[in-house]
Coordinates of all heavy atoms in Angstrom, one line a residue:
M1 N 18.2 70.3 -1.3 CA 19.5 69.8 -0.7 C 19.8 70.5 0.6 O 19.8 71.7 0.8 CB 20.7 70.1 -1.6 CG 21.1 69.0 -2.5 SD 22.6 69.4 -3.4 CE 21.9 70.0 -4.9
A2 N 20.1 69.7 1.6 CA 20.4 70.1 3.0 C 21.8 70.6 3.0 O 22.7 69.9 2.5 CB 20.1 69.1 4.0
I3 N 22.0 71.7 3.7 CA 23.4 72.2 3.8 C 23.8 72.0 5.3 O 23.0 72.2 6.2 CB 23.4 73.7 3.5 CG1 23.1 74.0 2.1 CG2 24.8 74.3 3.8 CD1 23.0 75.5 1.8
G4 N 25.0 71.5 5.5 CA 25.5 71.2 6.8 C 27.0 71.1 6.8 O 27.7 71.4 5.8
I5 N 27.5 70.6 7.9 CA 29.0 70.6 8.1 C 29.4 69.1 8.4 O 28.8 68.5 9.2 CB 29.5 71.5 9.2 CG1 29.1 72.9 8.8 CG2 30.9 71.3 9.6 CD1 29.4 74.0 9.9
I6 N 30.5 68.7 7.7 CA 31.1 67.5 8.0 C 32.5 67.9 8.7 O 33.2 68.8 8.2 CB 31.4 66.6 6.8 CG1 30.1 66.1 6.2 CG2 32.3 65.4 7.2 CD1 30.2 65.3 4.9
Y7 N 32.8 67.2 9.8 CA 34.0 67.6 10.5 C 34.9 66.4 10.9 O 34.3 65.3 10.9 CB 33.6 68.4 11.8 CG 32.8 67.6 12.7 CD1 33.3 66.8 13.7 CD2 31.4 67.7 12.7 CE1 32.5 66.1 14.5 CE2 30.6 67.0 13.6 CZ 31.2 66.2 14.5 OH 30.4 65.4 15.4
I8 N 36.1 66.7 11.1 CA 37.1 65.7 11.5 C 37.7 66.2 12.8 O 38.1 67.3 12.9 CB 38.2 65.5 10.5 CG1 37.6 65.1 9.1 CG2 39.1 64.4 10.9 CD1 38.6 65.2 8.0
M9 N 37.8 65.3 13.8 CA 38.5 65.6 15.1 C 39.6 64.5 15.4 O 39.3 63.3 15.1 CB 37.5 65.6 16.2 CG 36.4 66.7 16.0 SD 35.2 66.7 17.4 CE 36.1 67.9 18.4
S10 N 40.7 65.0 15.9 CA 41.7 64.0 16.3 C 41.3 63.6 17.7 O 40.6 64.3 18.4 CB 43.1 64.6 16.2 OG 43.2 65.8 17.0
T11 N 41.9 62.5 18.2 CA 41.7 62.1 19.6 C 43.1 61.9 20.2 O 44.2 62.1 19.6 CB 41.0 60.7 19.6 OG1 41.9 59.7 19.1 CG2 39.8 60.7 18.8
V12 N 43.1 61.6 21.6 CA 44.4 61.4 22.2 C 45.0 60.1 21.8 O 46.2 59.9 22.1 CB 44.1 61.4 23.8 CG1 43.7 62.7 24.3 CG2 43.2 60.3 24.2
V13 N 44.3 59.3 21.1 CA 44.8 57.9 20.6 C 45.4 58.2 19.2 O 44.6 58.5 18.3 CB 43.7 56.9 20.6 CG1 44.3 55.6 20.0 CG2 43.1 56.7 22.0
P14 N 46.7 58.1 19.0 CA 47.2 58.3 17.7 C 46.6 57.4 16.6 O 46.5 56.2 16.9 CB 48.7 58.0 17.9 CG 49.0 58.2 19.3 CD 47.7 57.8 20.0
G15 N 46.2 58.0 15.5 CA 45.6 57.2 14.4 C 44.1 57.0 14.5 O 43.5 56.4 13.7
L16 N 43.5 57.5 15.6 CA 42.1 57.4 15.8 C 41.4 58.7 15.6 O 41.8 59.7 16.3 CB 41.8 56.8 17.2 CG 40.3 56.4 17.4 CD1 39.9 55.3 16.5 CD2 40.1 56.1 18.9
I17 N 40.5 58.8 14.7 CA 39.8 60.1 14.5 C 38.3 59.9 14.5 O 37.8 58.8 14.4 CB 40.2 60.7 13.1 CG1 39.8 59.8 11.9 CG2 41.7 61.0 13.0 CD1 39.9 60.5 10.6
K18 N 37.6 61.1 14.7 CA 36.2 61.1 14.7 C 35.8 61.8 13.5 O 36.2 63.0 13.2 CB 35.6 61.7 15.9 CG 34.1 61.8 15.9 CD 33.5 62.5 17.1 CE 32.0 62.5 17.2 NZ 31.3 62.7 15.9
I19 N 34.8 61.3 12.7 CA 34.2 61.9 11.5 C 32.8 62.1 11.9 O 32.1 61.1 12.2 CB 34.4 61.1 10.2 CG1 35.8 60.9 9.9 CG2 33.7 61.8 9.1 CD1 36.1 59.9 8.7
G20 N 32.3 63.3 11.8 CA 30.9 63.6 12.1 C 30.3 64.6 11.2 O 30.9 65.2 10.4
K21 N 29.0 64.8 11.5 CA 28.2 65.8 10.7 C 27.3 66.6 11.7 O 27.0 66.0 12.7 CB 27.4 65.2 9.6 CG 26.3 64.3 10.1 CD 25.5 63.8 8.9 CE 24.4 62.9 9.5 NZ 23.6 62.3 8.5
T22 N 27.0 67.8 11.4 CA 26.1 68.6 12.2 C 25.5 69.7 11.3 O 26.0 70.0 10.2 CB 26.8 69.1 13.4 OG1 25.8 69.7 14.3 CG2 27.8 70.2 13.1
G23 N 24.4 70.3 11.8 CA 23.8 71.4 11.1 C 24.7 72.7 11.3 O 25.5 72.7 12.2
I24 N 24.6 73.6 10.4 CA 25.4 74.8 10.5 C 25.1 75.5 11.8 O 26.1 76.0 12.5 CB 25.1 75.7 9.3 CG1 25.5 75.0 8.0 CG2 25.7 77.1 9.5 CD1 25.0 75.8 6.7
D25 N 23.9 75.6 12.2 CA 23.5 76.4 13.5 C 24.0 75.6 14.7 O 24.1 76.3 15.8 CB 22.0 76.6 13.5 CG 21.5 77.4 12.4 OD1 22.3 78.2 11.8 OD2 20.3 77.4 12.2
N26 N 24.3 74.4 14.6 CA 24.7 73.6 15.8 C 26.2 73.4 15.9 O 26.7 72.7 16.9 CB 23.9 72.2 15.7 CG 24.1 71.5 17.0 OD1 23.9 72.0 18.1 ND2 24.4 70.2 16.9
F27 N 27.0 73.8 14.9 CA 28.4 73.4 14.8 C 29.2 73.8 16.1 O 29.9 73.0 16.7 CB 29.0 74.0 13.6 CG 30.5 73.7 13.5 CD1 30.9 72.4 13.2 CD2 31.4 74.7 13.6 CE1 32.3 72.1 13.1 CE2 32.8 74.4 13.5 CZ 33.2 73.1 13.3
E28 N 29.1 75.0 16.5 CA 29.9 75.5 17.6 C 29.5 74.8 18.9 O 30.4 74.4 19.7 CB 29.8 77.0 17.8 CG 30.6 77.8 16.8 CD 32.1 77.4 16.8 OE1 32.7 77.2 17.8 OE2 32.7 77.5 15.6
R29 N 28.3 74.6 19.1 CA 27.8 73.9 20.3 C 28.2 72.4 20.3 O 28.7 71.9 21.3 CB 26.3 74.0 20.4 CG 25.7 73.4 21.6 CD 24.2 73.5 21.6 NE 23.6 73.6 20.3 CZ 22.6 74.3 19.9 NH1 21.9 75.1 20.8 NH2 22.2 74.4 18.6
R30 N 28.2 71.8 19.1 CA 28.7 70.4 19.0 C 30.1 70.3 19.3 O 30.6 69.4 20.0 CB 28.4 69.9 17.6 CG 28.8 68.4 17.4 CD 27.8 67.5 18.0 NE 28.1 66.1 17.7 CZ 28.1 65.1 18.6 NH1 27.7 65.3 19.8 NH2 28.4 63.9 18.2
M31 N 31.0 71.2 18.7 CA 32.4 71.2 19.0 C 32.7 71.4 20.5 O 33.5 70.7 21.1 CB 33.1 72.3 18.2 CG 33.1 72.0 16.6 SD 33.9 70.5 16.1 CE 32.5 69.4 15.8
Y32 N 32.0 72.3 21.1 CA 32.2 72.6 22.5 C 31.9 71.4 23.3 O 32.7 71.0 24.2 CB 31.3 73.8 22.9 CG 31.3 74.1 24.4 CD1 32.3 75.0 24.9 CD2 30.5 73.5 25.3 CE1 32.3 75.3 26.2 CE2 30.6 73.8 26.6 CZ 31.5 74.7 27.1 OH 31.5 75.0 28.4
N33 N 30.8 70.7 23.0 CA 30.4 69.5 23.7 C 31.4 68.4 23.6 O 31.9 67.8 24.6 CB 29.1 69.0 23.2 CG 28.1 68.8 24.3 OD1 28.4 68.9 25.5 ND2 26.9 68.5 23.9
L34 N 31.9 68.1 22.4 CA 32.8 67.0 22.1 C 34.2 67.4 22.7 O 34.8 66.5 23.3 CB 33.0 66.8 20.6 CG 31.7 66.2 20.0 CD1 31.9 66.2 18.4 CD2 31.6 64.7 20.4
E35 N 34.6 68.6 22.6 CA 36.0 69.0 23.2 C 36.0 68.9 24.7 O 37.0 68.6 25.3 CB 36.3 70.4 22.7 CG 36.7 70.4 21.2 CD 36.9 71.8 20.6 OE1 36.4 72.7 21.2 OE2 37.5 71.9 19.5
R36 N 34.9 69.1 25.3 CA 34.8 69.1 26.8 C 34.5 67.8 27.4 O 34.9 67.4 28.4 CB 33.9 70.2 27.3 CG 34.5 71.5 26.9 CD 34.3 72.7 27.4 NE 35.0 73.8 27.0 CZ 35.4 74.2 25.8 NH1 35.3 73.4 24.8 NH2 35.9 75.4 25.6
H37 N 33.6 67.0 26.7 CA 33.1 65.8 27.2 C 33.5 64.5 26.5 O 33.3 63.4 27.0 CB 31.6 65.8 27.3 CG 31.1 67.0 28.0 ND1 31.2 67.2 29.4 CD2 30.4 68.1 27.6 CE1 30.7 68.3 29.8 NE2 30.2 69.0 28.7
G38 N 34.1 64.6 25.4 CA 34.6 63.4 24.6 C 33.4 62.7 23.9 O 32.3 63.3 23.8
Y39 N 33.7 61.6 23.4 CA 32.8 60.9 22.6 C 33.1 59.4 22.8 O 34.2 58.9 22.6 CB 32.9 61.2 21.1 CG 32.1 60.3 20.2 CD1 30.8 60.5 20.0 CD2 32.7 59.2 19.5 CE1 30.0 59.6 19.2 CE2 32.0 58.4 18.7 CZ 30.6 58.6 18.6 OH 29.9 57.8 17.8
N40 N 32.1 58.6 23.1 CA 32.2 57.2 23.2 C 33.4 56.7 24.1 O 34.2 55.9 23.6 CB 32.3 56.6 21.8 CG 31.6 55.2 21.7 OD1 30.7 54.9 22.5 ND2 32.0 54.5 20.7
N41 N 33.6 57.3 25.2 CA 34.7 57.1 26.1 C 36.1 57.5 25.6 O 37.1 57.0 26.1 CB 34.7 55.6 26.5 CG 33.6 55.2 27.4 OD1 33.1 56.1 28.2 ND2 33.1 54.0 27.3
V42 N 36.1 58.3 24.6 CA 37.4 58.9 24.1 C 37.4 60.3 24.3 O 36.4 61.0 24.0 CB 37.5 58.6 22.5 CG1 38.8 59.2 22.0 CG2 37.5 57.1 22.2
V43 N 38.4 60.8 25.0 CA 38.5 62.2 25.4 C 39.7 62.9 24.7 O 40.4 62.2 23.9 CB 38.7 62.3 26.9 CG1 37.5 61.8 27.7 CG2 40.0 61.6 27.4
G44 N 39.8 64.1 24.8 CA 40.9 64.9 24.2 C 40.6 65.1 22.7 O 41.5 65.2 22.0
L45 N 39.3 65.2 22.4 CA 39.0 65.5 21.0 C 39.4 66.9 20.6 O 39.3 67.8 21.4 CB 37.5 65.3 20.7 CG 37.0 63.9 20.8 CD1 35.5 63.8 20.8 CD2 37.5 63.1 19.6
K46 N 40.0 67.1 19.4 CA 40.4 68.4 18.9 C 40.0 68.6 17.5 O 40.2 67.7 16.7 CB 42.0 68.5 19.1 CG 42.5 69.8 18.5 CD 44.0 69.7 18.6 CE 44.6 70.8 17.8 NZ 46.0 70.6 17.4
R47 N 39.3 69.7 17.2 CA 38.9 70.1 15.9 C 40.1 70.1 15.0 O 41.2 70.7 15.3 CB 38.3 71.4 15.7 CG 37.2 71.8 16.6 CD 36.9 73.2 16.4 NE 36.3 73.7 17.7 CZ 35.5 74.7 17.8 NH1 35.1 75.3 16.7 NH2 35.0 75.1 18.9
E48 N 40.0 69.4 13.8 CA 41.1 69.5 12.8 C 40.7 70.0 11.5 O 41.4 70.7 10.8 CB 41.6 68.0 12.6 CG 42.3 67.4 13.8 CD 43.6 68.1 14.2 OE1 44.2 68.8 13.4 OE2 44.0 67.8 15.4
F49 N 39.4 69.8 11.1 CA 39.0 70.2 9.8 C 37.4 70.2 9.7 O 36.8 69.3 10.3 CB 39.5 69.3 8.7 CG 39.2 69.8 7.2 CD1 39.9 70.7 6.6 CD2 38.1 69.2 6.6 CE1 39.6 71.1 5.3 CE2 37.8 69.6 5.3 CZ 38.6 70.6 4.6
A50 N 36.9 71.2 9.1 CA 35.4 71.2 8.9 C 35.1 71.8 7.5 O 35.8 72.7 7.1 CB 34.7 72.0 10.0
I51 N 34.1 71.3 6.9 CA 33.7 71.9 5.6 C 32.1 71.9 5.5 O 31.5 71.0 5.9 CB 34.3 71.0 4.5 CG1 34.0 71.7 3.1 CG2 33.8 69.6 4.5 CD1 34.8 71.1 1.9
E52 N 31.7 73.1 5.1 CA 30.2 73.3 4.9 C 29.9 72.8 3.4 O 30.5 73.2 2.5 CB 29.9 74.7 5.0 CG 28.4 75.0 4.9 CD 28.2 76.6 5.1 OE1 28.8 77.2 6.0 OE2 27.4 77.1 4.3
L53 N 28.9 71.9 3.4 CA 28.5 71.2 2.1 C 27.1 71.2 1.8 O 26.3 71.1 2.8 CB 29.0 69.8 2.1 CG 30.5 69.5 2.3 CD1 30.7 68.1 2.7 CD2 31.2 69.8 1.1
D54 N 26.7 71.2 0.6 CA 25.4 70.9 0.2 C 25.2 69.4 0.2 O 26.2 68.7 0.0 CB 25.1 71.3 -1.3 CG 25.1 72.8 -1.5 OD1 24.8 73.6 -0.5 OD2 25.5 73.3 -2.5
D55 N 24.1 68.9 0.6 CA 23.8 67.5 0.6 C 24.7 66.7 1.5 O 25.3 65.6 1.2 CB 23.8 66.9 -0.8 CG 23.0 65.7 -1.0 OD1 22.1 65.4 -0.1 OD2 23.1 65.0 -2.0
Y56 N 25.0 67.3 2.7 CA 26.0 66.7 3.6 C 25.7 65.4 4.1 O 26.6 64.6 4.4 CB 26.3 67.7 4.7 CG 25.3 67.8 5.8 CD1 25.5 67.4 7.1 CD2 24.0 68.4 5.5 CE1 24.6 67.5 8.1 CE2 23.1 68.5 6.5 CZ 23.4 68.1 7.8 OH 22.4 68.2 8.8
D57 N 24.4 65.0 4.2 CA 24.0 63.6 4.7 C 24.5 62.6 3.7 O 25.1 61.6 4.1 CB 22.5 63.5 4.8 CG 21.9 64.2 6.0 OD1 22.6 64.2 7.1 OD2 20.9 64.8 5.9
E58 N 24.3 62.8 2.4 CA 24.8 61.8 1.4 C 26.3 61.8 1.4 O 26.9 60.7 1.2 CB 24.3 62.2 0.0 CG 22.8 62.0 -0.1 CD 22.4 60.5 0.2 OE1 23.0 59.6 -0.3 OE2 21.4 60.3 0.9
K59 N 27.0 62.9 1.5 CA 28.4 62.9 1.5 C 29.0 62.2 2.7 O 30.0 61.5 2.6 CB 29.0 64.3 1.3 CG 28.7 64.8 0.0 CD 29.2 66.2 -0.3 CE 28.9 66.6 -1.8 NZ 27.9 67.6 -1.9
E60 N 28.4 62.3 3.8 CA 28.8 61.6 5.1 C 28.6 60.1 4.9 O 29.5 59.3 5.3 CB 28.1 62.2 6.3 CG 28.8 61.8 7.6 CD 28.0 60.9 8.5 OE1 26.8 60.6 8.1 OE2 28.5 60.5 9.5
K61 N 27.5 59.7 4.3 CA 27.3 58.3 4.0 C 28.4 57.7 3.1 O 28.8 56.6 3.3 CB 25.9 58.1 3.4 CG 24.8 58.2 4.4 CD 23.4 58.1 3.8 CE 22.3 58.4 4.8 NZ 21.0 58.5 4.1
L62 N 28.8 58.5 2.1 CA 29.8 58.1 1.2 C 31.1 57.9 2.0 O 31.8 56.9 1.8 CB 30.0 59.2 0.1 CG 31.2 59.0 -0.9 CD1 31.0 57.7 -1.7 CD2 31.4 60.2 -1.7
L63 N 31.5 58.8 2.9 CA 32.6 58.6 3.7 C 32.6 57.4 4.5 O 33.5 56.6 4.7 CB 32.9 59.8 4.6 CG 33.3 61.1 3.9 CD1 33.3 62.3 4.9 CD2 34.6 61.0 3.2
D64 N 31.4 57.1 5.1 CA 31.2 55.9 5.9 C 31.4 54.7 5.1 O 32.0 53.7 5.5 CB 29.8 55.9 6.5 CG 29.5 56.9 7.6 OD1 30.5 57.5 8.1 OD2 28.4 57.0 8.0
D65 N 30.9 54.6 3.8 CA 31.1 53.5 2.9 C 32.6 53.4 2.6 O 33.1 52.2 2.6 CB 30.3 53.7 1.7 CG 28.8 53.5 1.9 OD1 28.4 53.0 3.0 OD2 28.0 53.9 1.0
I66 N 33.3 54.4 2.2 CA 34.7 54.4 1.8 C 35.5 53.9 2.9 O 36.5 53.0 2.7 CB 35.2 55.8 1.3 CG1 34.5 56.2 0.0 CG2 36.7 55.8 1.2 CD1 34.7 57.6 -0.4
F67 N 35.3 54.3 4.1 CA 36.1 54.0 5.3 C 35.5 52.9 6.2 O 35.9 52.8 7.4 CB 36.4 55.3 6.1 CG 37.2 56.3 5.3 CD1 36.7 57.6 5.2 CD2 38.4 56.0 4.6 CE1 37.4 58.6 4.5 CE2 39.0 57.0 3.9 CZ 38.6 58.3 3.9
S68 N 34.6 52.2 5.7 CA 33.8 51.2 6.5 C 34.8 50.2 7.2 O 34.6 49.8 8.4 CB 32.8 50.5 5.8 OG 33.4 49.7 4.7
K69 N 35.8 49.8 6.6 CA 36.7 48.8 7.2 C 37.6 49.4 8.2 O 38.3 48.6 9.0 CB 37.6 48.1 6.1 CG 36.8 47.3 5.2 CD 37.6 46.6 4.1 CE 36.7 45.7 3.3 NZ 37.4 44.9 2.3
S70 N 37.7 50.7 8.3 CA 38.5 51.3 9.4 C 37.7 51.8 10.5 O 38.2 52.4 11.5 CB 39.2 52.5 8.7 OG 40.1 52.1 7.7
R71 N 36.4 51.6 10.5 CA 35.4 52.1 11.6 C 35.6 51.2 12.8 O 35.7 50.0 12.8 CB 34.0 52.0 11.1 CG 32.9 52.5 12.1 CD 31.5 52.2 11.6 NE 31.1 53.1 10.6 CZ 30.5 54.3 10.7 NH1 30.3 54.7 12.0 NH2 30.1 55.0 9.7
V72 N 35.5 51.9 13.9 CA 35.4 51.3 15.2 C 33.9 51.0 15.4 O 33.1 51.8 15.3 CB 35.9 52.2 16.4 CG1 35.7 51.5 17.7 CG2 37.4 52.5 16.2
L73 N 33.6 49.7 15.6 CA 32.3 49.2 15.6 C 31.3 50.1 16.4 O 31.5 50.6 17.5 CB 32.3 47.8 16.4 CG 31.0 47.0 16.3 CD1 30.6 46.7 14.8 CD2 31.1 45.7 17.0
N74 N 30.2 50.4 15.7 CA 29.0 51.2 16.2 C 29.5 52.5 16.8 O 29.0 53.0 17.8 CB 28.3 50.4 17.3 CG 27.7 49.1 16.8 OD1 27.2 49.1 15.7 ND2 27.8 48.0 17.6
S75 N 30.3 53.2 16.0 CA 30.7 54.6 16.4 C 31.0 55.4 15.2 O 31.0 55.0 14.1 CB 32.0 54.5 17.4 OG 33.1 54.2 16.6
E76 N 31.4 56.7 15.5 CA 31.9 57.6 14.5 C 33.4 57.7 14.6 O 33.9 58.7 14.1 CB 31.2 58.9 14.7 CG 29.7 59.0 14.5 CD 29.1 60.3 14.8 OE1 29.8 61.2 15.3 OE2 27.8 60.4 14.6
L77 N 34.0 56.7 15.1 CA 35.5 56.7 15.2 C 36.1 55.8 14.1 O 35.6 54.7 13.8 CB 35.9 56.2 16.6 CG 35.5 57.1 17.8 CD1 35.7 56.3 19.1 CD2 36.1 58.4 17.8
F78 N 37.3 56.2 13.6 CA 37.9 55.5 12.5 C 39.4 55.5 12.8 O 40.0 56.4 13.2 CB 37.6 56.2 11.2 CG 36.2 56.2 10.7 CD1 35.3 57.2 11.3 CD2 35.7 55.3 9.9 CE1 34.0 57.2 10.9 CE2 34.4 55.3 9.5 CZ 33.5 56.3 10.0
A79 N 40.0 54.3 12.5 CA 41.5 54.2 12.5 C 42.0 54.6 11.1 O 42.1 53.7 10.2 CB 41.8 52.8 12.9
L80 N 42.3 55.9 11.0 CA 42.7 56.4 9.7 C 43.7 57.5 9.8 O 43.9 58.1 10.9 CB 41.5 57.1 9.0 CG 40.4 56.1 8.5 CD1 39.1 57.0 8.1 CD2 40.9 55.4 7.3
D81 N 44.4 57.7 8.7 CA 45.3 58.8 8.6 C 44.6 60.2 8.5 O 43.8 60.3 7.6 CB 46.3 58.6 7.5 CG 47.3 59.8 7.3 OD1 48.1 59.9 8.2 OD2 47.1 60.6 6.3
L82 N 44.8 61.1 9.4 CA 44.0 62.3 9.4 C 44.2 63.1 8.1 O 43.2 63.6 7.6 CB 44.5 63.2 10.6 CG 43.9 64.6 10.8 CD1 42.5 64.5 11.1 CD2 44.7 65.3 11.9
D83 N 45.5 63.2 7.6 CA 45.7 64.0 6.4 C 45.1 63.4 5.2 O 44.6 64.1 4.4 CB 47.2 64.0 6.2 CG 48.0 64.9 7.2 OD1 47.4 65.8 7.8 OD2 49.1 64.5 7.5
L84 N 44.9 62.1 5.1 CA 44.2 61.4 4.0 C 42.7 61.9 4.0 O 42.2 62.2 2.9 CB 44.3 59.9 4.1 CG 43.5 59.1 3.1 CD1 44.1 59.2 1.7 CD2 43.4 57.7 3.6
V85 N 42.1 61.9 5.2 CA 40.7 62.2 5.2 C 40.5 63.7 4.9 O 39.6 64.1 4.2 CB 40.1 61.8 6.6 CG1 38.6 62.2 6.7 CG2 40.3 60.4 6.9
I86 N 41.4 64.5 5.4 CA 41.3 66.0 5.1 C 41.5 66.2 3.6 O 40.7 67.0 3.0 CB 42.4 66.8 5.9 CG1 42.0 66.8 7.3 CG2 42.5 68.2 5.3 CD1 43.1 67.4 8.2
Q87 N 42.4 65.5 2.9 CA 42.5 65.6 1.5 C 41.3 65.2 0.8 O 40.9 65.9 -0.2 CB 43.7 64.7 1.0 CG 45.0 65.3 1.0 CD 46.0 64.3 0.3 OE1 46.0 63.1 0.6 NE2 46.9 64.9 -0.4
L88 N 40.7 64.1 1.2 CA 39.4 63.7 0.5 C 38.3 64.7 0.7 O 37.6 65.1 -0.3 CB 38.9 62.4 1.1 CG 37.7 61.8 0.4 CD1 37.8 61.6 -1.1 CD2 37.3 60.5 1.1
L89 N 38.1 65.2 1.9 CA 37.1 66.2 2.2 C 37.4 67.5 1.4 O 36.4 68.2 1.0 CB 36.9 66.5 3.7 CG 36.0 65.6 4.4 CD1 36.1 65.9 5.9 CD2 34.6 65.5 3.9
S90 N 38.6 67.9 1.3 CA 39.0 69.1 0.6 C 38.6 69.0 -0.9 O 38.5 70.0 -1.5 CB 40.5 69.4 0.7 OG 40.8 69.7 2.1
S91 N 38.5 67.8 -1.4 CA 38.2 67.7 -2.8 C 36.7 67.9 -3.1 O 36.3 68.1 -4.3 CB 38.6 66.3 -3.3 OG 37.8 65.3 -2.8
F92 N 35.9 67.9 -2.0 CA 34.4 68.2 -2.2 C 34.2 69.7 -2.4 O 35.0 70.5 -1.9 CB 33.6 67.8 -1.0 CG 33.5 66.3 -0.7 CD1 33.1 65.8 0.5 CD2 33.8 65.4 -1.7 CE1 33.0 64.5 0.8 CE2 33.7 64.0 -1.4 CZ 33.3 63.6 -0.2
E93 N 33.2 70.0 -3.2 CA 32.9 71.4 -3.3 C 32.2 71.9 -2.0 O 31.1 71.4 -1.7 CB 32.0 71.6 -4.5 CG 32.6 71.5 -5.9 CD 31.7 71.9 -7.0 OE1 30.9 72.8 -6.8 OE2 31.8 71.3 -8.0
G94 N 32.8 72.8 -1.4 CA 32.3 73.4 -0.2 C 33.1 74.6 0.3 O 34.0 75.0 -0.3
R95 N 32.8 75.0 1.5 CA 33.5 76.1 2.1 C 33.8 75.9 3.6 O 33.2 75.2 4.3 CB 32.8 77.4 2.0 CG 31.3 77.3 1.8 CD 30.5 78.5 1.4 NE 29.1 78.2 1.7 CZ 28.4 77.4 0.9 NH1 29.0 76.8 -0.1 NH2 27.2 77.1 1.2

């Protein structure tokens, strides 16, 4: 089982969040990059929540399936309530 991090970032657009994943060794570099350069023409990204998980690829796919109707086409951006997503991720076993 691969261990990695699933993270949530808020954007300058209210109600638009980014859900992503990265390896443990790459987390700080990924956050630095996103916070400074944005993602998919969206700037002002801010870390909100991150959790280290076993089998993080499968759990990220599960999130993609659950929230598929809220996804901004061809991106890791979702029109979702931040607190709802944090609650769901908090229910996973992780640290």
